[in-house]
Amino acid sequence: MTPTAHSRSDHGAPTGYGRSAGVSRRAMLIGAGAVAAGATVATAGGGDAGASPAPTGRYRIDMHAHFLPPEYRAALLEHGHFTIGGYPTPQWSPESAIDFMDRWGIQAQALSVSDPGVSFLRGKDSRDLARYCNTYAAGLFHTHRSRFGAFAVLPMPDVAASIAELEYALDTLHLDGVLLLSAYDGVYLGDPRFEPLMAALNARRTFVFVHPAAIPDNAKPALPLPDFLEEFTFDTTRAATLMLAGGTLRRYPGIRFQLAHAGGTLPFLSWRIGVLAETPIGNHWPAGAPRPSALDVQQLIQTFYFDTALSASEAAMRSVLAVAPRSHIVFGSDWPFSQAVFLEGGGDPAPGLSTVFSTSQRYEIERANPLSQLPRLRSAVG
């Protein structure tokens, strides 16, 4: 029997499918949402009128969703983090998250803290806040078993303390993976200073969500735009490129890296990054690191996972498909930092996906692909 967009299981899932004055942050968010959600007329194959319908029911697994437990949010505000990436630091509660999920067809969210993680603190304060966030997340597994997963925050850039927290979060709390920011104190993932942590992540074959970090004001152009709009995507690209150039992906193949926001600009730059290694400029490649060819870069980029958060558009998705298989695309909402996009009501949270993918392909991206990477959450949702 050919599946339809309306067939559902008892769980509500479809069956049969394998910074400046004068600029309004809210207006920019809404504009970004309009781009992501703009209804173009193309089928999954492209070209013909009429986009494929989205599957129905509460079936989605949200791999890019944030939480701000009370003490964490209070610590952010106490230390002057009134905005995150230029977006006002939002309120969050389990109840508001569940309400959002119910209205937008999401069964569960894999929660993580956003930038700046706990890196705005040091020493015991950082370790304690990381433990608080991770323990809070694990508690949600008991109070809302089928609605939440979580990625552990680590007390970076303290590598030794981060390894200890990694062990506790995965082995004792049984969180689903780990959150890493693209950089800590200006040092990007892929730097040799992080090698012991990468080895520990690799030993556990950890799923790692890479989220961008804000660049200090004195290290970037003074543009009248919030960081989340452009700078976040560039920072993800920097981290991914350095992990390619420094050999992190080759040395630690057991780590599965999810890149936020469709990988930033990595898909667009993929060929250019590989070509660089084959030119005279490539003589400046990091000492001791294998010098990849264009082909090597293409093969390694395919190992990343790419989420759809604020990137569910035809341009972004076709760019990802040009460098990675569909099985490596996962749904993300970026809620509550994207809440101005989801203004009222409910329905399809990412209609732009239907301009590229068929109904059954959307089900893969929005449910099957995420659950294939998070076995504990897969068991919890049934």
Side-chain angles (χ1 to χ4, degrees):
M1 175 179 175
T2 302
T4 69
H6 300 289
S7 55
R8 299 173 66 180
S9 72
D10 291 340
H11 298 286
T15 58
Y17 299 110
R19 222 161 292 216
S20 167
V23 178
S24 166
R25 293 188 180 99
R26 179 180 177 86
M28 284 187 290
L29 269 174
I30 295 173
V35 171
T40 59
V41 285
T43 61
D48 295 333
S52 298
T56 60
R58 196 180 69 204
Y59 69 95
R60 296 176 177 89
I61 306 299
D62 190 346
M63 296 284 277
H64 186 151
H66 299 297
F67 76 131
L68 297 88
E71 291 183 24
Y72 176 70
R73 185 175 188 274
L76 286 172
L77 298 179
E78 181 183 349
H79 288 80
H81 292 279
F82 303 110
T83 65
I84 305 297
Y87 185 92
T89 303
Q91 297 275 359
W92 178 91
S93 70
E95 294 75 20
S96 64
I98 290 171
D99 174 70
F100 167 75
M101 287 191 277
D102 287 348
R103 289 187 291 112
W104 295 96
I106 299 169
Q107 183 175 5
Q109 290 182 328
L111 299 173
S112 60
V113 300
S114 184
D115 177 57
V118 296
S119 63
F120 61 97
L121 300 175
R122 287 294 187 267
K124 184 177 184 301
D125 290 339
S126 178
R127 297 192 299 271
D128 288 350
L129 190 57
R131 179 63 55 87
Y132 163 76
C133 291
N134 295 334
T135 302
Y136 185 101
L140 294 174
F141 298 172
H142 302 286
T143 57
H144 304 282
R145 181 178 182 273
S146 64
R147 306 311 301 270
F148 295 110
F151 299 133
V153 61
L154 305 180
M156 291 286 281
D158 186 333
V159 172
S162 293
I163 293 173
E165 187 61 25
L166 163 69
E167 294 171 351
Y168 184 82
L170 298 187
D171 301 343
T172 301
L173 298 178
H174 305 295
L175 301 193
D176 298 286
V178 165
L179 161 82
L180 289 179
L181 299 181
S182 52
Y184 297 90
D185 295 346
V187 179
Y188 282 84
L189 302 182
D191 188 276
R193 281 167 279 192
F194 299 147
E195 285 290 288
L197 176 61
M198 293 298 169
L201 292 166
N202 188 69
R204 288 170 169 75
R205 304 189 67 83
T206 310
F207 192 90
V208 175
F209 174 33
V210 179
H211 191 279
I215 300 174
D217 287 340
N218 61 2
K220 64 182 177 183
L223 300 177
L225 298 169
D227 282 353
F228 77 84
L229 199 62
E230 294 178 322
E231 291 296 336
F232 268 13
T233 64
F234 302 152
D235 222 52
T236 298
T237 306
R238 295 181 187 105
T241 300
L242 286 170
M243 287 194 288
L244 285 163
T248 298
L249 300 184
R250 287 201 179 279
R251 288 193 298 278
Y252 306 111
I255 306 175
R256 294 156 293 150
F257 290 102
Q258 172 188 330
L259 301 180
H261 314 120
T265 62
L266 182 66
F268 176 81
L269 294 174
S270 59
W271 184 82
R272 187 184 186 103
I273 293 167
V275 164
L276 175 65
E278 299 179 320
T279 67
I281 299 175
N283 293 327
H284 299 287
W285 209 255
R291 182 168 161 175
S293 68
L295 181 59
D296 291 328
V297 168
Q298 304 311 308
Q299 292 173 338
L300 291 170
I301 286 176
Q302 292 182 38
T303 68
F304 285 119
Y305 289 79
F306 300 81
D307 73 49
T308 69
L310 292 177
S311 305
S313 69
E314 183 169 7
M317 290 298 100
R318 293 204 185 280
S319 295
V320 173
L321 286 172
V323 299
R326 191 176 66 241
S327 60
H328 280 223
I329 303 177
V330 295
F331 172 72
S333 72
D334 215 342
W335 195 87
F337 291 93
S338 62
Q339 58 188 313
V341 173
F342 304 101
L343 294 174
E344 295 179 1
D348 183 354
L353 294 179
S354 288
T355 67
V356 181
F357 304 107
S358 69
T359 304
S360 59
Q361 290 170 346
R362 283 199 60 168
Y363 186 73
E364 294 173 19
I365 289 165
E366 295 175 284
R367 183 178 180 86
N369 294 348
L371 290 181
S372 71
Q373 300 306 312
L374 307 182
R376 188 212 60 81
L377 184 58
R378 181 174 66 241
S379 176
V381 301

